[in-house]
Amino acid sequence: MLVPLALLVPGCTDLTEVPQDALTPENAFKTEAEVLAGVAAVYAQLRDVEWVGYITLNDLTTDVQIVPTRGSDWYDNGRWLEIHRQTWTANSGSALDDMNGAWNTLFSGVAKANLMIDVISKAGGQNAPRTLAELRTLRAWYYYMLMDMFGGVPLVTTTELKQFPRASRQEVFAFVEKELKESRAALPVKWDASGYGRVTQGVADAILASLYLNAGVFNKNSGVNATGYNSCNVSVGTTNGCQAAIDAADRVINSTLTPGGTKTYALNPNWFKNFSRDNETSPENIFVVVHVSEQALGMNPPMRTLHYNQLNTGWGSPWNGFATLAETYNAFDPADERRGMWLAGQAYSFETGLAVKDRAGNPLIFTDSIPDAEKADEAQGVRFNKFPPLASAPSGNGHPNDFPFFRLAEMYLVRAEAQNELGNTAQALADLNTVHSRHFNPPQNVVATTQQQIRDAILKERLLEFAGEGKRRTDLIRHGKFLNRWSTTMRNGKQDRTADTYRILFPVPAPQIAANPLLQQNPGY
């Protein structure tokens, strides 16, 4: 991989700004404002992780999302169904576009972090230790996502312009762990309002908790397993992956702003507030991508899923693409408030609140079934509305909802899963119900007694809690269920895909191997 030396830097210190001018350590970064502007560019790269990148690929390859072909819309040379059906190759459309784009996006984040680490290390200053910890944490997160998607990747920590060989997945795991552990203490527990969105000790711990929970996957360089991974069998320092995940989750759950004082994070009594247009006020969100209602500075999930006629502003209508599978929608209990994140039945305008019609003038009724994903009509498929749109957004990419990478609810479920794998079923069930029961009025607990029942209930709860937040593929791989068929398309006359264990990793995109002969392709591709 070639690491670019130039970094694009915005003209002000706002973390929501898009980089504007190409500058280098030799001609810029001389003031605190310029330094913060350079740091902002590392954060800005996170927006590209969403579309189409790590987040979308982690859901679209599973039962959470599907993009059916609707007449002449959304075929795109079969790219979307190829992702959903897990039929990609290293040279296919989705690999050359979406997976290659994800690789470039994530390594661009690494490169920008490397440049700023080099700048701060040479310049020093009063805030240098904290800023370096911030940048190392961001770089670790970019590498976490690369490791999750592709396994072993080049470990690049300098701005040197050269090609780098591929490190093993175990080496990347160790690097991410080291960076987070060494950076954590120098990070603040919480930033003031002007630093909203910047990484904290809680962010480092949340990434560590997820890293350790997946240690059975991430710390395994070969011999992929289609039936599941047990992180309790992986040594992490003086303990194991499960206990390390519990310890990291505990630090987040028990974090306080002052010793013995107010908790840093709290479950939001209004669950939908975690995803609203003003969700920057939610005490549950730990690590978010900051969005604002400006061109290219916002998010676009509402555009991907809503029907053309549900919004009609000066910048255009939605794209009527992404939907979910009937079995996923129907997994939500009608009494569970989270079912409200889906749009089913009569569709309504987000501008007027009135019922809308399809393009033929018939009532627009969203159905849960998609009989043929290659020949769907414009109303088939329940729609995703976890991040409600802003009708007055200046562009399709201008919705101001911040995207949460990590929420406090996940820390309870990480701890529950790890406790259960250690055989501590009572503690696991208590944490599971802390998340589950709050969504019912009156509160309703999960009924489970055996370790396997609790394991299954936790995986289901993660579907209900995190659908559309880019967690599903990683969860299914950890539980040995990623290769199970939920698509309506059969392969070789069989529904069982356990022979395709290599698809647990994405292929290293062919353009990357062509550009860097030191890279090696993942087995099976």
Side-chain angles (χ1 to χ4, degrees), residues 306-366:
L306 296 182
H307 186 270
Y308 319 103
N309 295 338
Q310 289 185 280
L311 278 175
N312 187 22
T313 63
W315 45 261
S317 61
W319 310 327
N320 196 44
F322 285 62
T324 195
L325 301 185
E327 66 186 79
T328 296
Y329 171 67
N330 291 320
F332 286 73
D333 189 314
D336 188 334
E337 66 172 343
R338 293 172 295 191
R339 201 172 197 232
M341 66 175 277
W342 304 106
L343 301 179
Q346 175 63 56
Y348 295 89
S349 167
F350 281 88
E351 297 169 279
T352 67
L354 300 177
V356 297
K357 298 180 179 181
D358 62 20
R359 291 184 292 184
N362 303 307
L364 179 63
I365 309 294
F366 291 138

Side-chain angles (χ1 to χ4, degrees), residues 67-292:
V67 184
T69 303
R70 303 181 189 277
S72 61
D73 294 341
W74 290 100
Y75 173 64
D76 295 335
N77 295 316
R79 157 189 171 193
W80 302 105
L81 291 178
E82 178 180 90
I83 295 173
H84 178 71
R85 291 170 173 169
Q86 302 176 354
T87 57
W88 58 76
T89 70
N91 288 285
S92 64
S94 61
L96 295 177
D97 193 346
D98 306 303
M99 297 166 202
N100 189 51
W103 177 287
N104 286 329
T105 292
L106 295 172
F107 267 115
S108 291
V110 169
K112 291 178 179 182
N114 284 341
L115 178 54
M116 288 309 302
I117 288 171
D118 183 53
V119 168
I120 303 302
S121 297
K122 292 175 180 177
Q126 180 179 357
N127 296 326
R130 184 186 68 187
T131 305
L132 286 171
E134 184 177 7
L135 291 165
R136 291 175 70 187
T137 299
L138 288 169
R139 182 174 64 182
W141 177 234
Y142 283 116
Y143 265 116
Y144 174 107
M145 292 184 278
L146 282 162
M147 173 181 59
D148 189 2
M149 294 184 73
F150 303 106
V153 295
L155 271 176
V156 185
T157 60
T158 71
T159 59
E160 187 178 7
L161 277 169
K162 66 178 234 181
Q163 293 172 332
F164 289 82
R166 184 175 186 177
S168 71
R169 200 179 202 186
Q170 292 167 316
E171 290 171 326
V172 180
F173 177 94
F175 174 78
V176 172
E177 180 190 23
K178 175 178 178 290
E179 291 292 287
L180 294 170
K181 290 175 67 175
E182 292 182 357
S183 300
R184 180 188 179 278
L187 293 170
V189 174
K190 185 177 182 178
W191 293 87
D192 61 23
S194 66
Y196 168 73
R198 299 176 72 172
V199 297
T200 60
Q201 288 184 10
V203 170
D205 283 330
I207 301 173
L208 280 169
S210 183
L211 181 77
Y212 292 138
L213 185 68
N214 290 285
V217 181
F218 294 162
N219 203 34
K220 193 176 186 66
N221 196 51
S222 61
V224 291
N225 182 358
T227 59
Y229 301 79
N230 190 341
S231 296
C232 301
N233 296 331
V234 177
S235 295
V236 178
T238 60
T239 185
N240 60 73
C242 291
Q243 187 59 53
I246 292 168
D247 294 342
D250 276 342
R251 290 195 296 270
V252 180
I253 292 168
N254 299 322
S255 172
T256 57
L257 298 176
T258 58
T262 304
K263 290 287 186 72
T264 308
Y265 308 103
L267 294 177
N268 199 321
N270 181 352
W271 184 72
F272 291 98
K273 193 71 171 178
N274 294 317
F275 322 105
S276 65
R277 294 183 291 270
D278 58 349
N279 60 340
E280 68 274 4
T281 62
S282 176
E284 185 170 331
N285 291 340
I286 300 168
F287 184 21
V288 302
V289 182
V290 177
H291 292 126
V292 294

Side-chain angles (χ1 to χ4, degrees), residues 405-452:
F405 283 130
F406 289 102
R407 297 189 282 115
L408 183 62
E410 184 166 8
M411 297 300 100
Y412 281 105
L413 293 180
V414 165
R415 193 168 69 177
E417 187 171 333
Q419 289 281 19
N420 189 58
E421 295 307 315
L422 288 172
N424 303 322
T425 54
Q427 296 95 316
L429 194 59
D431 276 340
L432 169 59
N433 281 321
T434 294
V435 175
H436 181 82
S437 64
R438 67 173 176 150
H439 297 297
F440 295 82
N441 186 16
Q444 177 179 307
N445 285 338
V446 172
V447 178
T449 55
T450 69
Q451 185 184 46
Q452 185 60 51

